[in-house]
């Protein structure tokens, strides 16, 4: 398998974007709060508000990419993201922090997965799925790389200087990649795609992937799936250690068990890359949502049977579902609606997902404090079952069954 330069480049830029704009916060925010004498509740309260701002910006970003192309929007986004990271080094009070964090989350959507997936969809048309998988496979190592890197940098410099280093990394690593995206990003001609599969490019005759009658239903179902899985991942990824502590697990057991999530999600993406020509996007979505729901049921079981083996099983199964979910977010809209207006569609879906995901950490911690971890995890398990039900309905509307249906 020989990935294309664009796929490799976006894999690199997504790794740096997520490492500097997303994963850095969990390490640098406590340092900032300690240095400026702030309460952590204030810091993460502003973080939740900033995620809502990012949710509002996502639909607009998708429309801008559809209209002006990924190269322009992602290049501008990289410059603005670098500026936002540099501004952290100048923060002296709470209002400055709130303004910079809101700015950061608004521009982050211009350089992360949804924007990169749109660039690939415009470039490769319906054959973009394997490229999307390739990008997520590379970017899956963002936390593995940047958490140790940032911890090492903090031993040599303070948090202000670390932010300046991260700002420079965006300009050096991401800007050249985004400037190299084809300006109009037209689908490539027929031939072999980046992974050796037959790439048919755009269809010779425009066909409807879903009927006009089904279009609204499909959008609602996609919104339910993306919102439900977004709630689960936001809640679990932000509060898992708190929940496990409340369940009675010792810190070192919880840490080493949850560490299995990362390798599991990368392995799942690698398997999807190998089997992408045999399994439709709806099939991957079924596996992803079912894995997350099953993992939550295992975690719920661990609340009553606190065995490390159950926790390890949860981490492996959850990592599998989470790893495939990144692919599903890019592949499902493409499978149902094609590359036309892909940015607008994914932007709208991301807006719903991010809005509810922003509230999930606060909500799940509140339920945990009020009713305990079993109730909190039980609610998440119910959300997981809703996502499975919606995906199964979507699978019954698989667009491959309507490939030859003419436009109405």
């Amino acid at each position: 398998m020989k990935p294309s330069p664009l796929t490799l480049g976006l894999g690199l830029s997504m790794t740096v974007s997520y490492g500097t704009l997303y994963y850095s916060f969990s390490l640098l925010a406590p340092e900032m709060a300690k240095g400026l004498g702030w309460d952590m509740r204030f810091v993460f309260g502003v973080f939740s508000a900033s995620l809502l701002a990012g949710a509002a910006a996502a639909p607009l970003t998708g429309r801008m990419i559809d209209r002006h192309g990924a190269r322009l929007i992602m290049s501008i986004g990289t410059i603005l993201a670098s500026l936002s990271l540099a501004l952290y080094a100048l923060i002296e009070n709470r209002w400055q922090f709130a303004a910079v964090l809101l700015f950061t989350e608004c521009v982050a959507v211009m350089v992360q997965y949804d924007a990169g997936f749109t660039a690939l969809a415009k470039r490769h048309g319906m054959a973009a799925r394997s490229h999307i998988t390739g990008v997520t496979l590379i970017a899956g190592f963002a936390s593995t790389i940047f958490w140790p890197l940032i911890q090492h940098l903090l031993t040599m410099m303070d948090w202000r200087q670390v932010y300046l280093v991260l700002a420079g990394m965006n300009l050096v690593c991401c800007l050249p990649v985004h400037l190299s995206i084809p300006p109009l990003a037209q689908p490539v001609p027929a031939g072999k795609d980046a992974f050796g599969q037959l790439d048919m490019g755009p269809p010779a005759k425009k066909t409807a992937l879903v009927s006009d009658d089904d279009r609204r239903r499909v959008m609602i179902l996609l919104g339910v799936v993306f919102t439900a899985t977004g709630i689960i991942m936001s809640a679990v990824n932000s509060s898992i250690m708190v929940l496990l502590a409340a369940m009675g697990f010792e810190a070192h057991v919880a840490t080493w068990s949850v560490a299995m999530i990362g390798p599991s999600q990368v392995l799942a993406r690698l398997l999807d890359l190998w089997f992408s020509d045999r399994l439709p996007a709806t099939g991957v979505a079924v596996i992803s949502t079912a894995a997350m729901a099953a993992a939550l049921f295992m975690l719920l079981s661990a609340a009553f049977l606190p065995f490390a083996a159950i926790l390890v099983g949860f981490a492996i199964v959850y990592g599998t579902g989470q790893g495939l979910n990144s692919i599903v977010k890019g592949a499902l809209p493409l499978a149902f609606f094609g590359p036309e207006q892909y940015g607008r569609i994914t932007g709208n879906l991301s807006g719903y997902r991010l809005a509810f995901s922003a509230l999930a950490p606060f909500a799940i911690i509140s339920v945990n404090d009020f009713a305990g971890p079993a109730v909190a995890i039980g609610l998440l398990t119910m959300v997981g079952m809703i996502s499975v039900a919606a995906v199964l309905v979507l699978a019954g509307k698989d667009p491959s069954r309507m490939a030859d249906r003419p436009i109405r």
Side-chain angles (χ1 to χ4, degrees):
M1 296 183 293
K2 184 180 179 182
S4 70
L6 179 60
T7 303
L8 287 174
L10 286 175
L12 170 64
S13 73
M14 295 295 107
T15 301
V16 175
S17 294
Y18 275 95
T20 58
L21 296 169
Y22 181 72
Y23 290 111
S24 65
F25 188 80
S26 62
L27 294 176
L28 295 177
E31 294 292 324
M32 184 188 307
K34 182 171 62 176
L36 296 174
W38 297 341
D39 188 278
M40 287 299 296
R41 286 176 295 179
F42 162 75
V43 172
F44 280 90
V46 175
F47 181 61
S48 292
S50 70
L51 291 177
L52 288 173
L60 176 61
T61 300
R63 288 175 171 83
M64 290 170 59
I65 293 177
D66 276 340
R67 183 171 184 177
H68 301 291
R71 181 172 73 173
L72 176 63
I73 302 306
M74 294 187 74
S75 297
I76 293 175
T78 299
I79 295 172
L80 295 178
S82 299
L83 174 62
S84 73
L85 290 168
L87 288 174
Y88 280 105
L90 305 178
I91 289 174
E92 296 292 346
N93 58 54
R94 294 170 183 258
W95 290 108
Q96 291 174 351
F97 170 71
V100 172
L101 188 52
L102 289 170
F103 178 53
T104 300
E105 293 303 319
C106 286
V107 301
V109 296
M110 301 172 69
V111 296
Q112 293 181 340
Y113 273 152
D114 290 326
F117 293 165
T118 302
L120 292 171
K122 298 294 185 181
R123 174 62 177 165
H124 297 287
M126 295 302 296
R129 177 180 157 187
S130 61
H131 300 269
I132 289 173
T133 303
V135 168
T136 61
L137 181 63
I138 298 170
F141 291 98
S143 61
T144 306
I145 294 171
F146 274 87
W147 274 340
L149 174 61
I150 292 172
Q151 286 177 329
H152 179 66
L153 290 175
L154 285 171
T155 65
M156 301 185 295
M157 57 187 75
D158 63 19
W159 59 269
R160 295 182 187 274
Q161 294 169 319
V162 172
Y163 269 119
L164 292 176
V165 172
L166 298 182
M169 291 182 68
N170 270 268
L171 289 177
V172 172
C173 299
C174 301
L175 187 57
V177 172
H178 298 159
L179 288 173
S180 70
I181 297 173
L184 298 179
Q186 296 298 321
V188 296
K192 293 290 184 177
D193 73 0
F195 300 102
Q197 305 297 328
L198 185 61
D199 184 345
M200 297 304 296
K205 182 179 180 180
K206 185 178 179 181
T207 59
L209 297 179
V210 292
S211 68
D212 292 341
D213 293 337
D214 280 340
R215 184 179 181 89
R216 180 175 177 81
R217 297 189 189 97
V218 169
M219 278 296 294
I220 292 173
L221 288 168
L222 286 173
V224 171
V225 173
F226 287 7
T227 299
T229 53
I231 289 172
I232 292 170
M233 290 189 294
S234 179
V236 171
N237 293 344
S238 64
S239 62
I240 184 62
M241 299 305 293
V242 176
L243 294 174
L244 293 180
M247 291 160 61
F249 285 99
E250 295 182 2
H252 71 279
V253 174
T255 300
W256 284 106
S257 299
V258 173
M260 295 300 298
I261 292 176
S264 298
Q265 72 176 5
V266 172
L267 178 60
R269 291 168 182 173
L270 184 59
L271 291 174
D272 179 80
L273 184 61
W274 284 340
F275 293 105
S276 61
D277 58 331
R278 306 176 198 174
L279 191 63
T282 50
V284 178
V286 170
I287 295 173
S288 174
T289 54
M292 281 194 280
L296 288 169
F297 182 78
M298 296 173 71
L299 188 61
L300 181 60
S301 301
F304 301 98
L305 300 170
F307 298 127
I310 297 178
L311 194 55
V312 171
F314 153 76
I316 294 173
V317 177
Y318 176 79
T320 299
Q322 179 174 261
L324 293 177
N325 181 263
S326 297
I327 299 167
V328 168
K329 287 190 298 184
L332 265 189
L334 182 65
F336 279 98
F337 298 108
E340 287 191 40
Q341 298 185 326
Y342 181 88
R344 178 180 64 83
I345 291 170
T346 56
N348 288 338
L349 291 171
S350 293
Y352 305 140
R353 173 177 56 83
L354 292 171
F356 284 93
S357 298
L359 303 175
F362 175 78
I364 205 67
I365 290 299
S366 298
V367 173
N368 176 68
D369 291 343
F370 178 74
V375 175
I377 299 167
L379 291 175
L380 287 178
T381 304
M382 292 176 60
V383 174
M385 296 306 297
I386 292 172
S387 69
V388 172
V391 162
L392 290 175
V393 177
L394 274 175
K397 299 177 179 294
D398 193 324
S400 63
R401 301 175 182 176
M402 298 179 281
D404 298 323
R405 180 180 295 181
I407 296 178
R408 296 182 180 180

